[in-house]
Amino acid sequence: MILAAYAIGASHGFIYVRAEYPIAVEHSQLAIRQARECGLLGKNILGSGFDFDIEVRMGAGAFVCGEESALIASLEGQRGMPRSRPPFPVQKGYLGKPTSINNVETFGNVPLIIEKGKGWYAAMGTEGGRGTKIFALAGKVKNTGLVEVPMGVTLREMVFDIGGGIPGGRAFKAAQMGGPSGGCVPAKFLDLPIDYESVKAVGAIMGSGGLIVMDERTCMVDTARFFLDFVRQESCGKCVPCRVGTQHMYEILTRICRGQGREGDIEALEALAKDVKAGSLCGLGQTAPNPVLTTLQYFRHEYEEHIRLKRCRASACEALVASPCSHACPAQVNVPQYLGLIAEGRLEEAVNVIRRRNPFVSVCGRVCDHPCESRCRRGDLDSPLAIRALKRYASDHASESGRPLVAPVAGRADVAVVGAGPAGLSCAYFLALLGRPSVVFESQPVAGGMLALGIPEYRLPKAVLQADIDFILRHGVELRTSSPVESVEALRAQGFKMVFLATGAQQSRALGVEGEGLDGVGDSLDLLRARGLGQNPRVGQNVVVIGGGNAAVDAARSALRLGAKKVTILYRRRRQDMPAYAEEVEEALHEGVELHELVAPVRVVGQGGKVTGIEMVRMALGAADDSGRPRPAPIPGSEFVVACDMVLPAIGQVPTAGAARALALSKAGAVEVDMASLRTSLPWLFAGGDVVTGPSSVIEAVAAGEKAAVGMDEFMTGAKHAFWRAAPAAVTAFDPNADPEPYTRDKLPLIAVERRRNNFDEVEMPWTEPVAVRQAKRCLRCDYGKTCATY
């Protein structure tokens, strides 16, 4: 490794030469000759009697940092290698002369400190770091460049105030701090004050002041591989830990990113990283493992997904990703293929492509949270494709979309499915595709789970849901409604070889405040469930809903339709922090629902045993939680009362695992399973959906149902029969040399707000054929020329 010395010029009146990039020895010597000819070398800059010949970045450890000593050696015409110290460079450096290895930034501060005094400089910053720091702000932020800030500024201020936030409204994921050998700091440290000690405490370094911002589309495994590739090439090779260890770590990371990771790779990476850090001679090797160690510490789940599931949640690892949209879909639906079929008017074929991985086509065309759209590369040009709306168009207009994909299965069922929600019904469907009959037990009088009893008809009409359920049942699936299961062991006693637990998360969390038992305090899920069963539950005239999720928004909009004169949502964070779908929140406000942000309940106020209001306290945003959202905290003395005659809590749901009491549960009450197969601690019992993950999306539940079906069949037969995953792609017309269609994204038409009162008519309307075809032709066909086993 040979580093060049570049004569840069003067900063605040000081002359310096800076180490930059690896180049040949002769270039280094040329740079020094040019600097000397310009009169930049050999100057007694501070009048201290020393010649400040060169400047490089500060090193650490028993050896001079590889960059510094290699630069010094290369300038002297020697091989660029680290050397032991003492003597330190300030005692004996370039050509045996005292040599400053302070950063150029340090030199730049000296004249101002001399001019204004040390007190002026020390007044800026923190106890862990005085003065200012220059950062090279780069990556996924709107404003990039060199910025000088006081020590102690938070990461949030750097990213969102100075950097302008993440483009495209995407979520902040992590920041790489300190250059290639720095550490990756996750979102939960957004409010970390940046100084030497605090940065070191979270596994990063201040280093050269590099600050690379990463959003949700960044793969942390690939990030570690990228930075390790840099440092392994920078290794001079003198010590074995750095020379061999970094190369071996890079090879393991490359294999993982290619989908070839093996059990034990994570442990091997950790052991290697610690050995390289402890055994390397210079600062380069000692800090080289930081990207690996910090990503393993904070993003270990991504390594596990790459190795065990062959999934890259950021859709960034090309060997695993045929197209970002399909890879982002939990069910792995081949999105570009069915969009191409829609563009050609081949709607039945398009629907069947979807049903190879998702039987709830009509449902997901209306209520899916469409993670595929967040990964759509067309969004980098103008706006992502409206994939959910196109799915709805295909399902609504396909003339013969109800025929089963395979002949109905027959014979005695050897698998019992507990719960007829999207996870349970999907599991039964995919078991049928495998030729294995099953019986689905449902405690409610209707099938569909939260699709039927939690999502109002104005979003998901009952007839649409029933059409998808009927399609599943045509494959020979037996459904038994009003059939609660007391225990999974009882099903085994009835002769079922395998059981899939898909009981969901049916119980609401309590508010836990005084007055919760007053008449008028209801339950958002009970309200939605009653409406789903065809009832018209009584609501108050002035209704307050507590919460910010989809259940809260659905309850609020349903209350308006059931006759409430005023409905208010009270939420402890900000609107942008609400987990509810943004479009649903927008429509709720259009319909007249009021939203009060940054407030939390203290107690329910009543008179004569009935609700008259709810006392709230205002909240202030504090440090980030694990998700990166600012954690709200109550403001003392800010209490106030909101008048109401009905309170509907909607602050979360608890997994319902009562039928499997012997299973190990998480702290949240969810069933613990093997992530690759969904098998529980009992080999014959599998579990999936909300009972495992907590409240999640429809498409996540569908994916869990397929995974469990394949896992159970493989457990019983020892073979993999998921033929639909490798189904050949239908041929569609596509010219890779043609420009994509220039149209922008069209919005779905909605019925007028005044027509929504006192009824549950569907709000979203479908596209016409010309609009749908035009939208489908916007697809860039990122899958062109690729094959991927994840389809």
Side-chain angles (χ1 to χ4, degrees):
M1 179 193 70
I2 305 299
L3 292 172
Y6 287 87
I8 304 296
S11 172
H12 296 294
F14 288 86
I15 311 302
Y16 59 90
V17 175
R18 186 173 185 179
E20 288 288 356
Y21 304 104
I23 62 173
V25 175
E26 58 267 28
H27 291 166
S28 301
Q29 298 295 337
L30 176 61
I32 289 298
R33 285 198 301 271
Q34 291 174 338
R36 183 174 289 110
E37 290 170 1
C38 294
L40 299 181
L41 293 183
K43 297 246 180 179
N44 186 346
I45 298 176
L46 297 180
S48 61
F50 292 128
D51 290 341
F52 287 80
D53 287 331
I54 67 171
E55 179 278 330
V56 292
R57 288 186 284 275
M58 180 66 74
F63 279 64
V64 179
C65 180
E67 277 190 21
E68 302 159 3
S69 56
L71 173 61
I72 294 172
S74 67
L75 295 178
E76 296 173 336
Q78 304 174 29
R79 180 183 176 188
M81 297 284 285
R83 60 177 176 81
S84 60
R85 57 183 189 179
F88 293 90
V90 292
Q91 299 166 323
K92 184 178 180 182
Y94 176 65
L95 298 179
K97 299 178 180 180
T99 304
S100 170
I101 60 170
N102 285 324
N103 197 288
V104 176
E105 183 181 354
T106 303
F107 282 128
N109 288 325
V110 171
L112 293 174
I113 295 173
I114 294 174
E115 178 183 350
K116 297 180 179 291
K118 65 179 183 180
W120 165 83
Y121 188 78
M124 296 181 286
T126 67
E127 290 293 331
R130 300 295 186 182
T132 64
K133 176 64 182 172
I134 296 176
F135 288 94
L137 184 61
K140 301 301 179 62
V141 284
K142 295 177 181 177
N143 307 320
T144 61
L146 293 175
V147 296
E148 184 174 12
V149 295
M151 284 284 199
V153 67
T154 66
L155 190 55
R156 186 184 302 278
E157 291 172 310
M158 289 288 292
V159 174
F160 293 96
D161 296 341
I162 298 173
I166 314 294
R170 300 186 182 98
F172 170 86
K173 186 172 186 178
Q176 168 78 359
M177 297 184 65
S181 56
C184 294
V185 180
K188 67 179 181 179
F189 294 123
L190 267 171
D191 294 297
L192 177 79
I194 301 176
D195 60 33
Y196 291 101
E197 294 304 318
S198 61
V199 167
K200 181 181 178 180
V202 298
I205 59 175
M206 197 71 77
S208 57
L211 182 59
I212 302 176
V213 179
M214 293 169 275
D215 66 13
E216 61 197 60
R217 299 201 300 181
T218 304
C219 171
M220 303 313 296
V221 183
D222 186 58
T223 295
R225 184 203 61 79
F226 173 82
F227 287 116
L228 201 64
D229 184 30
F230 176 87
V231 295
R232 76 181 177 96
Q233 295 187 56
E234 289 290 297
S235 175
C236 71
K238 183 171 184 177
C239 63
V240 172
C242 181
R243 182 182 74 243
V244 178
T246 56
Q247 175 64 31
H248 192 40
M249 281 194 292
Y250 172 75
E251 291 170 356
I252 294 175
L253 288 166
T254 300
R255 190 173 69 243
I256 293 174
C257 289
R258 289 175 178 170
Q260 301 166 353
R262 303 189 291 259
E263 294 292 340
D265 277 348
I266 294 177
E267 292 75 15
L269 277 172
E270 282 183 314
L272 275 169
K274 292 175 182 177
D275 289 344
V276 171
K277 195 174 188 68
S280 294
L281 296 177
C282 79
L284 179 72
Q286 292 161 9
T287 58
N290 284 342
V292 177
L293 290 172
T294 51
T295 53
L296 281 172
Q297 179 180 359
Y298 301 121
F299 301 96
R300 193 184 192 94
H301 56 280
E302 294 199 24
Y303 284 83
E304 293 170 344
E305 289 168 356
H306 276 70
I307 294 171
R308 304 201 63 196
L309 305 181
K310 311 304 178 188
R311 292 289 308 278
C312 172
R313 66 170 51 200
S315 302
C317 294
E318 292 190 3
L320 297 174
V321 179
S323 63
C325 54
S326 296
H327 195 75
C329 174
Q332 301 282 277
V333 177
N334 192 331
V335 177
Q337 185 182 6
Y338 81 73
L339 293 186
L341 292 169
I342 292 173
E344 296 181 14
R346 298 157 62 183
L347 302 185
E348 287 77 14
E349 293 177 78
V351 169
N352 284 337
V353 167
I354 301 169
R355 282 178 169 160
R356 286 207 297 263
R357 302 304 294 265
N358 176 11
F360 287 97
V361 181
S362 300
V363 168
C364 286
R366 288 166 168 81
V367 299
C368 183
D369 63 335
H370 50 76
C372 50
E373 295 185 17
S374 68
R375 297 288 187 270
C376 177
R377 286 178 177 153
R378 182 65 192 246
D380 294 332
L381 299 178
D382 41 38
S383 56
L385 275 81
I387 298 172
R388 184 180 72 182
L390 286 166
K391 186 187 289 101
R392 173 185 174 169
Y393 169 79
S395 66
D396 284 358
H397 293 83
S399 58
E400 297 182 10
S401 61
R403 292 181 297 180
L405 292 189
V406 298
V409 293
R412 177 178 172 80
D414 54 5
V415 178
V417 177
V418 185
L425 288 173
S426 295
C427 179
Y429 168 73
F430 287 107
L431 284 169
L433 295 189
L434 289 163
R436 191 172 294 281
S438 63
V439 178
V440 182
F441 296 86
E442 171 56 51
S443 62
Q444 295 290 342
V446 298
M450 294 303 291
L451 297 178
L453 304 178
I455 301 179
E457 302 101 300
Y458 63 81
R459 290 179 58 202
L460 179 60
K462 298 301 180 187
V464 171
L465 170 60
Q466 192 59 48
D468 280 350
I469 294 175
D470 290 341
F471 169 77
I472 293 172
L473 298 181
R474 289 191 194 103
H475 290 77
V477 174
E478 181 182 348
L479 172 64
R480 301 180 188 176
T481 55
S482 300
S483 301
V485 174
E486 291 298 323
S487 71
V488 292
E489 289 80 6
L491 293 174
R492 285 276 288 176
Q494 295 176 31
F496 292 103
K497 296 179 181 178
M498 307 292 292
V499 179
F500 178 57
L501 186 68
T503 46
Q506 308 291 334
Q507 181 180 349
S508 296
R509 296 187 185 276
L511 278 177
V513 300
E514 178 187 346
E516 196 167 8
L518 290 171
D519 183 18
V521 178
D523 184 312
S524 60
L525 288 187
D526 286 345
L527 176 79
L528 296 172
R529 189 177 292 116
R531 179 59 204 172
L533 292 173
Q535 305 167 13
N536 286 313
R538 182 184 64 85
V539 297
Q541 294 298 295
N542 187 351
V543 179
V544 162
V545 181
I546 311 294
N550 284 318
V553 176
D554 285 340
R557 297 177 71 184
S558 295
L560 277 179
R561 287 164 169 78
L562 290 168
K565 300 300 182 184
K566 180 180 180 181
V567 179
T568 307
I569 294 177
L570 305 176
Y571 183 53
R572 67 193 185 109
R573 298 181 189 266
R574 301 165 300 176
R575 176 181 172 182
Q576 59 262 41
D577 299 320
M578 293 177 71
Y581 301 162
E583 58 267 30
E584 297 301 321
V585 177
E586 185 70 23
E587 290 310 308
L589 298 179
H590 284 166
E591 292 171 2
V593 174
E594 296 182 13
L595 173 62
H596 291 183
E597 307 169 73
L598 293 171
V599 292
V602 176
R603 65 186 180 97
V604 181
V605 180
Q607 185 175 2
K610 295 185 178 181
V611 171
T612 59
I614 183 165
E615 184 177 338
M616 307 294 291
V617 63
R618 301 192 185 279
M619 309 293 280
L621 296 178
D625 61 15
D626 287 347
S627 70
R629 298 184 301 175
R631 184 181 285 107
I635 301 174
S638 65
E639 291 81 3
F640 66 101
V641 175
V642 177
C644 65
D645 57 7
M646 187 175 193
V647 176
L648 293 174
I651 58 172
Q653 297 157 235
V654 180
T656 310
R661 297 176 180 85
L663 289 180
L665 303 179
S666 69
K667 292 181 179 179
V671 175
E672 295 184 346
V673 298
D674 172 74
M675 63 184 297
S677 65
L678 300 188
R679 186 187 306 166
T680 69
S681 55
L682 299 174
W684 50 268
L685 179 62
F686 288 62
D690 291 357
V691 74
V692 170
T693 63
S696 188
S697 65
V698 178
I699 196 64
E700 289 278 5
V702 170
E706 188 209 25
K707 184 184 293 185
V710 174
M712 287 189 288
D713 182 72
E714 184 176 349
F715 180 79
M716 289 187 283
T717 65
K720 295 182 179 180
H721 298 126
F723 59 89
W724 57 86
R725 293 182 176 177
V731 177
T732 55
F734 177 70
D735 182 2
N737 298 314
D739 291 332
E741 297 292 348
Y743 312 114
T744 58
R745 175 173 171 143
D746 285 301
K747 293 183 178 180
L748 278 175
L750 307 175
I751 65 172
V753 172
E754 56 269 18
R755 287 180 51 201
R756 306 180 196 177
R757 278 281 182 181
N758 304 318
N759 67 75
F760 282 77
D761 293 344
E762 188 172 12
V763 170
E764 287 185 348
M765 294 290 100
W767 278 328
T768 61
E769 180 181 0
V771 175
V773 170
R774 181 171 70 225
Q775 287 298 303
K777 288 183 177 180
R778 296 181 64 235
C779 181
L780 302 180
R781 292 306 298 262
C782 303
D783 64 326
Y784 180 76
K786 295 182 180 179
T787 57
C788 186
T790 57
Y791 273 156

